[in-house]
Amino acid sequence: MNAEIIAVGSELLTPEKVDTNSLYLTQHLNDLGIEVVAKCIIGDDRTRLTNEIRSSSSRSELVLLTGGLGPTEDDVTRDACAAALGLTQHFDPAIWNAIIERFSRFGRTPSENNRRQANVLAGAEVLANPNGTAPGLWLSPAPGRYVALLPGPPRELKPMVQDQILPRLRQLIPPSVIRTRWYRVAGIGESDLDSLIAPVYTQFTNPVTTILAAPGDVHIHFRARTDDEAEAERLLAAVADPIVALLGDRIYSSDGATLEQTVGRLLLAQHATLATAESITAGLLGGRITDTSGSSAYYAGGFQTYTDAMKTRLLGVDPALLAAHSAVSEPVALAMAQAARERTGATYALSLTGYAEGDQAGLCFAGLATPQHVHCRQLKLFGDRHRVRGLAVIQALDWLRKTLLHP
């Protein structure tokens, strides 16, 4: 069974409000083996919502609508669903009496517009809502097709899903299993990665492979769907294991851990500590490391040395070195890393210096001081100021990660 989710409400189209109901529904549908093939958000517009319900119910066996069941004129879900499916509505006195009783418990009287919430689509089963005034509705507009209207507030939606939607779905669908694997990869671009692994994953339609890319960080999702857990794991292994072999240590996580969390785990495992010295990133590297809870166990601290004067004052970088090579250079990156390690007593130290904008934007140098040596890498990064600084942090962390893997 395939499902689509339609979240209703103009407020969900603003930056202040996030649709979390769809995530909740997707998790529970996937647990039942139901594939969510589309999600959308529609504002409080009858025509647009009517068209979307008509389209989605023709494509997928299950359509779940959330929100728009309130008492006001902009709560249009019932009306739009009736129009899309060609159904009439009728007033249900039992629902209205339940609304009156609920209001009376709080010493209030419902307004006349609350009567809208007692309207029921022809043929629908009413889903009781003990946590609010808007009941849900369950419809089967055609054989093998189902539509559910659910309230928008999560405290009302979640109990209704648990108590009334999931039991209905369990009776409708055969047992099915969806299993996933998720790898996070650094050190390779999306197009290069796809060229490398496409000959493997294109041989399979199940599992489905998805590549998601952010600057400097690529995620690979494998999703197997079958009626047996062991078979799902076998299918995943058939496509994922060869890809893992191809990517090697470019994979930094298989459990969702971020790059900084992975680095932190390696440092803890080796009883090692880290210091940072930053110029171009001005604390972004240290900030990312300390985003992880418990990072004080391995992060000694950092130096933000944005100017030449601060490089000299805080790290003791020789002014003659700065004058001879400039702040953005290999000798200065080496000096920064070495000084950060010596002054904090950390096992390792990373340094970053470079240009985030201007004619030489993207030219960066990363330094790595270890107990044995001090190393430097020249980085040539592309993008705007924000992207260049973010990529510099990622590449420095990934360099440290590989060093910890292969000391």
Side-chain angles (χ1 to χ4, degrees):
M1 179 182 286
N2 288 335
E4 299 191 31
I5 299 171
I6 304 173
V8 183
S10 296
E11 72 278 3
L12 297 174
L13 297 171
T14 67
E16 289 79 24
K17 189 74 171 178
V18 178
D19 170 31
T20 58
N21 286 336
S22 292
L23 302 177
Y24 175 83
L25 290 170
T26 299
Q27 178 64 61
H28 286 285
L29 292 173
N30 286 172
D31 288 345
L32 291 177
I34 298 173
E35 190 81 33
V36 176
V37 295
K39 299 179 185 180
C40 71
I41 297 174
I42 302 292
D44 301 315
D45 184 290
R46 280 181 177 82
T47 301
R48 289 193 178 93
L49 183 55
T50 298
N51 292 336
E52 186 59 37
I53 295 170
R54 186 178 292 124
S55 297
S56 59
S57 60
S58 68
R59 292 188 302 255
S60 298
E61 295 93 331
L62 175 65
V63 178
L64 301 173
L65 293 105
T66 66
L69 299 179
T72 62
E73 285 296 324
D74 61 357
D75 289 308
V76 297
T77 299
R78 280 181 296 267
D79 295 342
C81 192
L85 302 177
L87 300 174
T88 60
Q89 298 186 66
H90 66 271
F91 179 79
D92 188 327
I95 295 176
W96 178 236
N97 289 334
I99 291 172
I100 293 173
E101 181 182 349
R102 179 176 178 81
F103 270 80
S104 68
R105 291 202 300 268
F106 297 96
R108 298 172 58 199
T109 301
S111 302
E112 185 63 23
N113 60 6
N114 283 106
R115 291 177 65 89
R116 294 164 52 87
Q117 296 178 293
N119 289 338
V120 178
L121 277 68
E125 296 180 60
V126 176
L127 306 176
N129 181 3
N131 300 292
T133 56
L137 297 174
W138 175 265
L139 297 158
S140 180
R145 301 280 170 166
Y146 306 93
V147 177
L149 281 62
L150 304 170
R155 65 180 182 83
E156 299 177 31
L157 176 138
K158 291 181 179 180
M160 190 177 291
V161 169
Q162 291 288 343
D163 298 338
Q164 302 187 67
I165 298 298
L166 296 182
R168 284 175 167 82
L169 292 175
R170 291 188 185 102
Q171 293 178 358
L172 292 174
I173 59 176
S176 182
V177 173
I178 293 179
R179 291 292 180 266
T180 62
R181 289 194 191 182
W182 175 19
Y183 297 101
R184 303 182 73 159
V185 181
I188 186 171
E190 180 185 13
S191 59
D192 290 338
L193 180 141
D194 190 57
S195 296
L196 181 64
I197 69 173
V200 177
Y201 76 74
T202 52
Q203 299 178 48
F204 299 84
T205 56
N206 185 22
V208 174
T209 300
T210 305
I211 299 173
L212 306 172
D217 191 7
V218 184
H219 301 182
I220 311 171
H221 289 215
F222 304 102
R223 187 180 187 86
R225 181 176 180 176
T226 183
D227 57 2
D228 178 77
E229 186 169 344
E231 175 65 5
E233 292 298 335
R234 187 194 68 76
L235 291 170
L236 285 172
V239 63
D241 290 355
I243 286 176
V244 169
L246 284 171
L247 292 174
D249 67 4
R250 292 189 181 98
I251 297 174
Y252 69 80
S253 170
S254 60
D255 62 358
T258 63
L259 183 55
E260 57 270 24
Q261 288 171 334
T262 300
V263 168
R265 291 173 182 177
L266 289 168
L267 288 167
L268 283 173
Q270 298 179 26
H271 306 288
T273 54
L274 172 67
T276 55
E278 302 179 62
S279 182
I280 180 176
T281 47
L284 291 177
L285 176 58
R288 182 155 175 176
I289 293 165
T290 55
D291 276 344
T292 299
S293 177
S295 55
S296 60
Y298 51 82
Y299 183 59
F303 302 85
Q304 295 185 42
T305 56
Y306 210 57
T307 65
D308 288 3
M310 293 305 290
K311 290 178 180 64
T312 299
R313 183 177 304 172
L314 294 181
L315 293 171
V317 177
D318 189 345
L321 190 70
L322 290 161
H325 299 281
S326 86
V328 182
S329 64
E330 178 176 335
V332 170
L334 291 168
M336 290 171 63
Q338 181 67 18
R341 181 174 181 272
E342 291 174 350
R343 294 185 179 215
T344 60
T347 317
Y348 298 91
L350 282 170
S351 68
L352 283 168
T353 182
Y355 299 107
E357 54 193 6
D359 293 341
Q360 299 187 73
L363 174 63
C364 300
F365 291 90
L368 174 58
T370 76
Q372 292 80 30
H373 303 286
V374 186
H375 310 272
C376 183
R377 284 187 176 179
Q378 180 177 322
L379 311 176
K380 186 58 180 175
L381 311 173
F382 299 94
D384 60 17
R385 179 182 182 85
H386 176 78
R387 179 184 172 91
V388 165
R389 283 153 53 98
L391 287 173
V393 168
I394 290 170
Q395 292 206 17
L397 283 171
D398 195 50
W399 184 19
L400 175 61
R401 177 184 68 85
K402 291 179 178 177
T403 300
L404 291 167
L405 282 174
H406 311 291

